[in-house]
Amino acid sequence: QVQLVESGGGLVQAGGSLRLSCAASGRSFSTYDMAWFRQTPGKEREFVASISWNGAWTFYKDSVKGRFTISRDNAKKTVYLQMNSLKPEDTGVYYCATGASRYSVSPREYGVWGQGTQVTVSS
């Protein structure tokens, strides 16, 4: 069973950048599609981006297209989320997840989650 640990969150001003990392344990990481979600209080987790097992295919939530980039390094068993031109509405706890198809955008379809990392964007 793969385990996921996120890092890289923090406080940043609007227009700034952050890079989140999600380190995985387990021998089969390179076979898993991966995704990033985010959640704010009182709301369901929402899909942000996903990437195929080999990094050749990516998919983004419309509001982050052109600002966020998902990538992975299978040798390091790590998936990244580079976030540029951050906006206050990007604030939330960011989670990486796996266990579902790369096309899945519903959090209910994912079975493995990290503990999350807080991102706060001030205006």
mmCIF file of all heavy atoms in Angstrom, residues 14-35:
data_model
loop_
_atom_site.group_PDB
_atom_site.id
_atom_site.type_symbol
_atom_site.label_atom_id
_atom_site.label_comp_id
_atom_site.label_asym_id
_atom_site.label_seq_id
_atom_site.Cartn_x
_atom_site.Cartn_y
_atom_site.Cartn_z
ATOM 1 N N ALA A 14 -0.493 37.332 -2.855
ATOM 2 C CA ALA A 14 -1.101 37.165 -4.174
ATOM 3 C C ALA A 14 -0.079 37.509 -5.257
ATOM 4 O O ALA A 14 0.664 38.484 -5.127
ATOM 5 C CB ALA A 14 -2.332 38.052 -4.300
ATOM 6 N N GLY A 15 -0.039 36.682 -6.290
ATOM 7 C CA GLY A 15 0.927 36.847 -7.359
ATOM 8 C C GLY A 15 2.193 36.037 -7.163
ATOM 9 O O GLY A 15 3.011 35.920 -8.080
ATOM 10 N N GLY A 16 2.367 35.491 -5.969
ATOM 11 C CA GLY A 16 3.554 34.719 -5.667
ATOM 12 C C GLY A 16 3.453 33.273 -6.130
ATOM 13 O O GLY A 16 2.484 32.874 -6.781
ATOM 14 N N SER A 17 4.472 32.498 -5.758
ATOM 15 C CA SER A 17 4.564 31.105 -6.192
ATOM 16 C C SER A 17 4.901 30.187 -5.025
ATOM 17 O O SER A 17 5.538 30.604 -4.054
ATOM 18 C CB SER A 17 5.659 30.944 -7.258
ATOM 19 O OG SER A 17 5.370 31.690 -8.417
ATOM 20 N N LEU A 18 4.469 28.950 -5.161
ATOM 21 C CA LEU A 18 4.843 27.879 -4.236
ATOM 22 C C LEU A 18 4.978 26.596 -5.045
ATOM 23 O O LEU A 18 4.295 26.429 -6.062
ATOM 24 C CB LEU A 18 3.779 27.663 -3.151
ATOM 25 C CG LEU A 18 3.709 28.631 -1.978
ATOM 26 C CD1 LEU A 18 2.481 28.308 -1.126
ATOM 27 C CD2 LEU A 18 4.964 28.606 -1.142
ATOM 28 N N ARG A 19 5.812 25.696 -4.570
ATOM 29 C CA ARG A 19 5.887 24.367 -5.148
ATOM 30 C C ARG A 19 5.600 23.337 -4.074
ATOM 31 O O ARG A 19 6.328 23.251 -3.082
ATOM 32 C CB ARG A 19 7.243 24.068 -5.791
ATOM 33 C CG ARG A 19 7.221 22.745 -6.559
ATOM 34 C CD ARG A 19 8.498 22.462 -7.305
ATOM 35 N NE ARG A 19 9.530 21.861 -6.460
ATOM 36 C CZ ARG A 19 10.507 21.074 -6.909
ATOM 37 N NH1 ARG A 19 10.578 20.795 -8.195
ATOM 38 N NH2 ARG A 19 11.407 20.602 -6.080
ATOM 39 N N LEU A 20 4.553 22.589 -4.273
ATOM 40 C CA LEU A 20 4.195 21.513 -3.362
ATOM 41 C C LEU A 20 4.834 20.214 -3.830
ATOM 42 O O LEU A 20 4.982 19.973 -5.023
ATOM 43 C CB LEU A 20 2.681 21.340 -3.302
ATOM 44 C CG LEU A 20 1.859 22.581 -2.962
ATOM 45 C CD1 LEU A 20 0.385 22.205 -2.859
ATOM 46 C CD2 LEU A 20 2.347 23.248 -1.692
ATOM 47 N N SER A 21 5.183 19.382 -2.858
ATOM 48 C CA SER A 21 5.730 18.060 -3.148
ATOM 49 C C SER A 21 4.891 17.004 -2.448
ATOM 50 O O SER A 21 4.349 17.246 -1.361
ATOM 51 C CB SER A 21 7.177 17.952 -2.665
ATOM 52 O OG SER A 21 8.016 18.877 -3.314
ATOM 53 N N CYS A 22 4.827 15.847 -3.054
ATOM 54 C CA CYS A 22 4.132 14.712 -2.458
ATOM 55 C C CYS A 22 5.055 13.507 -2.605
ATOM 56 O O CYS A 22 5.248 13.005 -3.722
ATOM 57 C CB CYS A 22 2.801 14.472 -3.146
ATOM 58 S SG CYS A 22 1.961 12.958 -2.641
ATOM 59 N N ALA A 23 5.626 13.077 -1.492
ATOM 60 C CA ALA A 23 6.547 11.948 -1.502
ATOM 61 C C ALA A 23 5.780 10.673 -1.195
ATOM 62 O O ALA A 23 4.982 10.615 -0.256
ATOM 63 C CB ALA A 23 7.642 12.160 -0.478
ATOM 64 N N ALA A 24 6.045 9.650 -1.984
ATOM 65 C CA ALA A 24 5.337 8.383 -1.839
ATOM 66 C C ALA A 24 6.272 7.278 -1.387
ATOM 67 O O ALA A 24 7.462 7.273 -1.707
ATOM 68 C CB ALA A 24 4.688 7.993 -3.165
ATOM 69 N N SER A 25 5.721 6.373 -0.625
ATOM 70 C CA SER A 25 6.437 5.149 -0.282
ATOM 71 C C SER A 25 5.816 4.010 -1.057
ATOM 72 O O SER A 25 4.710 4.125 -1.570
ATOM 73 C CB SER A 25 6.339 4.884 1.223
ATOM 74 O OG SER A 25 4.990 4.678 1.588
ATOM 75 N N GLY A 26 6.502 2.892 -1.136
ATOM 76 C CA GLY A 26 5.962 1.754 -1.868
ATOM 77 C C GLY A 26 6.667 1.571 -3.190
ATOM 78 O O GLY A 26 7.184 2.514 -3.776
ATOM 79 N N ARG A 27 6.670 0.347 -3.667
ATOM 80 C CA ARG A 27 7.454 0.002 -4.843
ATOM 81 C C ARG A 27 6.740 0.286 -6.153
ATOM 82 O O ARG A 27 7.362 0.291 -7.197
ATOM 83 C CB ARG A 27 7.842 -1.480 -4.792
ATOM 84 C CG ARG A 27 8.816 -1.814 -3.676
ATOM 85 C CD ARG A 27 9.152 -3.288 -3.681
ATOM 86 N NE ARG A 27 7.998 -4.105 -3.335
ATOM 87 C CZ ARG A 27 8.020 -5.427 -3.313
ATOM 88 N NH1 ARG A 27 9.107 -6.080 -3.663
ATOM 89 N NH2 ARG A 27 6.948 -6.108 -2.963
ATOM 90 N N SER A 28 5.444 0.525 -6.119
ATOM 91 C CA SER A 28 4.683 0.626 -7.359
ATOM 92 C C SER A 28 4.305 2.047 -7.736
ATOM 93 O O SER A 28 3.426 2.249 -8.568
ATOM 94 C CB SER A 28 3.418 -0.222 -7.235
ATOM 95 O OG SER A 28 3.742 -1.577 -6.977
ATOM 96 N N PHE A 29 4.962 3.034 -7.137
ATOM 97 C CA PHE A 29 4.598 4.426 -7.401
ATOM 98 C C PHE A 29 4.578 4.725 -8.886
ATOM 99 O O PHE A 29 3.691 5.428 -9.372
ATOM 100 C CB PHE A 29 5.576 5.363 -6.684
ATOM 101 C CG PHE A 29 5.362 6.812 -7.027
ATOM 102 C CD1 PHE A 29 4.332 7.529 -6.444
ATOM 103 C CD2 PHE A 29 6.189 7.468 -7.931
ATOM 104 C CE1 PHE A 29 4.122 8.864 -6.747
ATOM 105 C CE2 PHE A 29 5.996 8.797 -8.242
ATOM 106 C CZ PHE A 29 4.959 9.488 -7.657
ATOM 107 N N SER A 30 5.535 4.222 -9.627
ATOM 108 C CA SER A 30 5.649 4.555 -11.045
ATOM 109 C C SER A 30 4.506 4.013 -11.883
ATOM 110 O O SER A 30 4.389 4.346 -13.060
ATOM 111 C CB SER A 30 6.981 4.051 -11.600
ATOM 112 O OG SER A 30 7.055 2.646 -11.490
ATOM 113 N N THR A 31 3.649 3.204 -11.304
ATOM 114 C CA THR A 31 2.492 2.671 -12.035
ATOM 115 C C THR A 31 1.194 3.411 -11.702
ATOM 116 O O THR A 31 0.153 3.115 -12.279
ATOM 117 C CB THR A 31 2.298 1.175 -11.743
ATOM 118 O OG1 THR A 31 1.932 1.008 -10.364
ATOM 119 C CG2 THR A 31 3.568 0.390 -12.027
ATOM 120 N N TYR A 32 1.252 4.353 -10.752
ATOM 121 C CA TYR A 32 0.048 5.022 -10.279
ATOM 122 C C TYR A 32 -0.179 6.361 -10.978
ATOM 123 O O TYR A 32 0.742 7.174 -11.055
ATOM 124 C CB TYR A 32 0.127 5.300 -8.784
ATOM 125 C CG TYR A 32 0.217 4.082 -7.890
ATOM 126 C CD1 TYR A 32 0.970 4.129 -6.722
ATOM 127 C CD2 TYR A 32 -0.445 2.904 -8.197
ATOM 128 C CE1 TYR A 32 1.057 3.029 -5.875
ATOM 129 C CE2 TYR A 32 -0.360 1.805 -7.376
ATOM 130 C CZ TYR A 32 0.390 1.865 -6.211
ATOM 131 O OH TYR A 32 0.467 0.772 -5.388
ATOM 132 N N ASP A 33 -1.413 6.600 -11.426
ATOM 133 C CA ASP A 33 -1.818 7.956 -11.748
ATOM 134 C C ASP A 33 -1.950 8.721 -10.433
ATOM 135 O O ASP A 33 -2.311 8.140 -9.402
ATOM 136 C CB ASP A 33 -3.153 7.973 -12.483
ATOM 137 C CG ASP A 33 -3.090 7.286 -13.838
ATOM 138 O OD1 ASP A 33 -1.988 7.154 -14.402
ATOM 139 O OD2 ASP A 33 -4.162 6.881 -14.344
ATOM 140 N N MET A 34 -1.665 10.011 -10.453
ATOM 141 C CA MET A 34 -1.684 10.816 -9.222
ATOM 142 C C MET A 34 -2.509 12.074 -9.437
ATOM 143 O O MET A 34 -2.669 12.552 -10.568
ATOM 144 C CB MET A 34 -0.250 11.212 -8.840
ATOM 145 C CG MET A 34 0.684 10.056 -8.556
ATOM 146 S SD MET A 34 0.246 9.136 -7.075
ATOM 147 C CE MET A 34 0.453 10.412 -5.834
ATOM 148 N N ALA A 35 -2.992 12.631 -8.326
ATOM 149 C CA ALA A 35 -3.802 13.847 -8.418
ATOM 150 C C ALA A 35 -3.559 14.753 -7.223
ATOM 151 O O ALA A 35 -3.099 14.300 -6.170
ATOM 152 C CB ALA A 35 -5.279 13.488 -8.493
#
